[in-house]
Amino acid sequence: MLKKVYISNVNCITPLGFDVETNIDNITKGITGIQKHEDKSLMKDSFCASIVNENDVDEAFAKVTSEGKFTKLEKMMILALFPIVNEVEITDKTAFLLSTTKGNIEALKNKSDESIEEAHLGTLAKRIANFFGFKTKPIVVSNACVSGVLAISVAKRLIQSEMYNDAFVVAGDIVSEFVLSGFNSFQAMSNEPCRPYSKNRTGVSLGEATAAVLVTSNRENAKVVILGDGSINDANHISGPSRTGEGLVRSIESAMKEANIDSNSINYISAHGTATPFNDEMEAIAFSRIGLENTPVNSLKGYYGHTLGASGLLEVVIGIQSLLHNKLFASLGFDEMGVSKPINIIEKTENKELNCFLKTASGFGGCNTAVIFEKIK
């Protein structure tokens, strides 16, 4: 029997707050971090995105340290980890995983050898690891938009293999000129806050955030146990999801098999929900195929935008709060069903007894990941 693995502490840094409690308070009030921005250093035209105020980051970071020079992303990752890193003693059995899609890609604006080195994801991971004094070589998980939740799967399996006792996982991405120009070239960006699964959606809103969790084999102080995980790549297209939801279906089936549960045991789904027609439709098909069409489902993109490599981990952090507070958060922006298969969108935040939730994510290149969490009673 595989060793049980838990999550005992969480934190996040987002436009809605610099701690979990503030984020939950703002989500409960239906507040979104997505706003219209006019910043020609990022994009020629105005754009909608959820961006963390840099002055607020600097002010919070100054309370942590005045030493060293760090990028905005590095500061946000350190701020996410800082309150939880003292949870356990850092030893040679403590892993550190960093998850991101683009890291410090803005460094490439300066064409020097030093800037190129700065943009390497391994360099970013080493800087964060050195700040906290991790004793093991940092592990980078970068697999498009499943990166954050996939990092939890990797941490779980490393602990089950006895390589480590604990693993700190941090995920983050920021809104950059590179990312904005990429999604704009797809004509996928919305000119208003995104509306996942809605007939009236106009595309994705981008966002930035960092999140951190402590994954551990120690049940003491644990908030949830990780029941099962699955990650399948359907290789459908470089940027388009499978039209049949095949990879997501197989990922969920794999996670449920390991968890030894059926779809009736899942109280809630925290879905990817990017508000692009292809993604939303693929998820609705997948949930319907697997008997989850009546399970309450939300997307948190209406609050945070799509935070890319951070999204999976950030949404796990919020999903855990759903379980702990017995609260289903509304899928902000949804008004009228915009997918062909029936799914049970959470239209209003409501209280409900919850024990188990499924987190799913899908990304470019056909990657899909599903992880199931159960509340510790």
Side-chain angles (χ1 to χ4, degrees):
M1 182 177 178
L2 290 173
K3 178 185 287 188
K4 287 193 173 182
V5 179
Y6 309 89
I7 291 179
S8 64
N9 212 338
V10 301
N11 192 31
C12 59
I13 305 295
T14 83
L16 296 185
F18 281 23
D19 57 54
V20 173
E21 187 178 63
T22 307
N23 273 268
I24 294 303
D25 186 45
N26 283 322
I27 289 175
T28 303
K29 293 174 181 172
I31 295 173
T32 179
I34 303 170
Q35 297 179 337
K36 185 82 85 177
H37 292 272
E38 302 272 358
D39 186 343
K40 294 192 184 305
S41 70
L42 292 175
M43 195 168 172
K44 183 177 67 174
D45 301 318
S46 61
F47 60 95
C48 273
S50 179
I51 296 178
V52 180
N53 185 296
E54 191 156 9
N55 291 333
D56 292 344
V57 173
D58 290 340
E59 184 178 336
F61 194 74
K63 297 174 183 176
V64 173
T65 182
S66 59
E67 298 180 0
K69 184 180 179 183
F70 298 93
T71 66
K72 180 182 181 182
L73 177 61
E74 291 165 352
K75 290 175 184 176
M76 288 171 59
M77 285 184 163
I78 290 169
L79 287 171
L81 278 165
F82 194 76
I84 67 172
V85 83
N86 293 324
E87 185 80 4
V88 300
E89 180 185 0
I90 294 175
T91 70
D92 58 4
K93 297 285 280 184
T94 304
F96 172 58
L97 286 79
L98 184 143
S99 170
T100 183
T101 62
K102 300 295 179 289
N104 286 319
I105 196 164
E106 289 295 276
L108 293 179
K109 285 184 174 180
N110 301 315
K111 296 177 182 177
S112 67
D113 291 344
E114 183 180 346
S115 295
I116 292 172
E117 178 65 27
E118 184 86 0
H120 287 172
L121 302 186
T123 302
L124 169 63
K126 286 177 185 175
R127 295 201 75 190
I128 305 299
N130 291 340
F131 181 90
F132 289 103
F134 288 107
K135 301 179 187 301
T136 55
K137 187 176 181 179
I139 299 166
V140 174
V141 178
S142 183
N143 188 11
C145 297
V146 308
S147 299
V149 69
L150 180 62
I152 291 182
S153 298
V154 173
K156 165 182 165 286
R157 295 183 186 199
L158 288 171
I159 291 171
Q160 287 177 328
S161 71
E162 309 281 350
M163 288 183 66
Y164 301 99
N165 295 329
D166 313 282
F168 286 95
V169 180
V170 67
D173 265 307
I174 62 170
V175 173
S176 64
E177 182 183 15
F178 180 90
V179 171
L180 285 167
S181 64
F183 276 85
N184 194 43
S185 70
F186 286 139
Q187 299 182 332
M189 287 180 58
S190 175
N191 57 4
E192 61 175 10
C194 63
R195 296 172 171 270
Y197 308 110
S198 172
K199 181 181 178 181
N200 302 307
R201 62 183 174 252
T202 56
V204 66
S205 299
L206 294 172
E208 60 186 22
T210 56
V213 302
L214 173 56
V215 184
T216 178
S217 58
N218 186 354
R219 193 179 191 281
E220 187 178 358
N221 300 322
K223 291 178 169 55
V224 295
V225 57
I226 306 171
L227 290 181
D229 66 282
S231 191
I232 305 292
N233 190 306
D234 52 46
N236 176 74
H237 185 269
I238 193 169
S239 61
S242 163
R243 301 298 187 265
T244 63
E246 194 63 33
L248 183 55
V249 166
R250 294 191 187 195
S251 296
I252 297 171
E253 286 177 338
S254 179
M256 289 200 301
K257 182 178 180 181
E258 183 186 356
N260 195 27
I261 62 172
D262 60 26
S263 57
N264 293 323
S265 300
I266 296 172
N267 303 130
Y268 151 63
I269 305 168
S270 174
H272 194 47
T274 61
T276 60
F278 287 134
N279 174 87
D280 292 1
E281 178 70 8
M282 180 276 290
E283 288 184 299
I285 291 170
F287 296 149
S288 177
R289 282 181 58 185
I290 217 160
L292 289 166
E293 64 271 22
N294 295 318
T295 305
V297 57
N298 72 9
S299 163
L300 296 172
K301 303 294 191 293
Y303 302 95
Y304 295 114
H306 190 353
T307 58
L308 305 181
S311 61
L313 196 64
L314 172 63
E315 291 158 9
V316 166
V317 169
I318 303 303
I320 290 173
Q321 303 312 305
S322 281
L323 292 192
L324 298 180
H325 296 282
N326 290 311
K327 192 179 288 287
L328 293 172
F329 296 117
S331 194
L332 192 64
F334 176 80
D335 51 11
E336 187 176 353
M337 190 62 75
V339 292
S340 66
K341 298 294 182 183
I343 51 175
N344 185 12
I345 300 294
I346 304 167
E347 298 190 45
K348 292 182 179 178
T349 295
E350 60 181 288
N351 295 322
K352 185 177 182 179
E353 182 69 28
L354 302 172
N355 293 305
C356 178
F357 87 98
L358 165 68
K359 174 71 199 122
T360 66
S362 302
F364 287 172
C367 52
N368 301 270
T369 296
V371 183
I372 298 172
F373 304 87
E374 184 179 66
K375 182 165 58 181
I376 299 294
K377 298 177 182 175

